[in-house]
Amino acid sequence: MSLFDKFSQFAELKQRFDNGGILPFGVVTEKILSPTEAIVNGQKVILAGTNNYLGLTFDPEAITAAQEAVSENGTGTTGSRMANGTFADHIRLEQELAEFFGTRAAIIFSTGYAATMGTSATLAGPGDVIMLDADSHASIYDGVRLSGAEIIRFRHNDPSDLEKRLRRLNNRDGDTLIIVEGIYSMLGDVAPLADIAALKREYGAYLLVDEAHSMGVMGDKGRGAAEAAGIEADADFLVGTFSKSLGSIGGYCVSNHAELELIRFATRAYIFTASASPSVIASTRTTLRLLRERPELQQKLWKNARHLYAELKALGFDIGPQVSPVVAVRSTDSDKAIRWWEELFALGIFVNLVIPPASPAGYSLLRCSISAAHSEAEVRQIVAAYATLEQ
Ligand SMILES: Cc1ncc(COP(=O)(O)O)c(C=O)c1O
């Protein structure tokens, strides 16, 4: 018996993929050519799984802002927000996020993972109940495990199952926090937020929505799925990331509850880690402004999403249940999914391969996340590559 025995499963997994060719989980991007193209493992590819929804990673204004910030304020803050790591721009970004979401306050985190994990771990505690969607992201699962609250899962995107479980609580003591996502990262389906918000009201629960994949993607103002569903007033907490539509790294939690300011003092993922670098904050402030100034990016994103979704569906693939910028082809045969991934890569299309247990319901996924920056020709190239796969 050794400390390392439990890792042998990963050695087997690695061997399964390591066919002397490319390891899907270890590809190296040697050069990024644009938001949609790169040299990966020596080959020029179209990036079709980057979550770069608005394609802003190479925006000249964002790059200049980051360059100026690194020159003026250095490469890193070298400390926690609670110690020496709060610079004026961290506060400005929090104010701008609160203004964007129309909330009383915002807290920013060093990663989206820290935002979701930290809030999921802190808001509810011993004696409380957390009801979470069964397909929740790992950051939510990790957080709720730390919370000390009772954890109850409900069937993915199934308000009637949620209601059944809320009813069973039977007015017991303690608070209930419901946690859902906006767009789900694996299949691209959207939470039925209007129904979930109605249940939250009926049962006197709190609601947290993780908008990691929906901020900048949904809603007239780009605020996310809660905005699109018209339930922002019911969402006690909205969390999200800077690593997708905003093209950098970091995360946020916004709320109208005055206590948000106090939650800072209790959230270990906020306190015990260094704050985001000045360049990251500067580019994020810029891309948040660009998201507001350029609604046409969201329109282009959805045009590309509709195009890709319709074409892959027409090819007969089993894809996610609704059109969204996350377009995932499902297979119950993981060997086939790996083969498909390799064939797509050989044709210059780089998508995400997701296999169980990382994917929901035992499926393996070839997951595309389309961008506003993809040209029509690039979407056609992606479709043409999928068309060559033997189903
Ligand atoms: C739903 C969800 N929440 C949180 C995160 C974490 O965000 P980040 O990767 O920016 O840390 C992700 C990342 O994929 C996500 O999909």
Side-chain angles (χ1 to χ4, degrees), residues 180-253:
V180 294
E181 296 175 29
I183 292 181
Y184 279 83
S185 58
M186 290 292 119
L187 291 180
D189 46 347
V190 182
L193 286 177
D195 293 345
I196 290 169
L199 290 173
K200 169 237 143 121
R201 285 194 301 271
E202 188 179 338
Y203 287 87
Y206 293 88
L207 176 62
L208 180 152
V209 185
D210 183 345
E211 301 264 22
H213 291 268
S214 29
M215 189 261 194
V217 170
M218 293 183 73
D220 284 347
K221 305 262 183 257
R223 295 199 295 251
E227 185 202 354
I231 62 105
E232 285 174 294
D234 291 308
D236 297 277
F237 304 96
L238 294 176
V239 297
T241 179
F242 305 152
S243 74
K244 303 184 196 304
S245 290
L246 297 178
S248 65
I249 184 163
Y252 63 85
C253 174

Side-chain angles (χ1 to χ4, degrees), residues 70-88:
V70 83
S71 301
E72 282 168 25
N73 294 316
T75 52
T77 67
T78 69
S80 156
R81 288 291 304 276
M82 284 288 183
N84 56 303
T86 293
F87 290 13

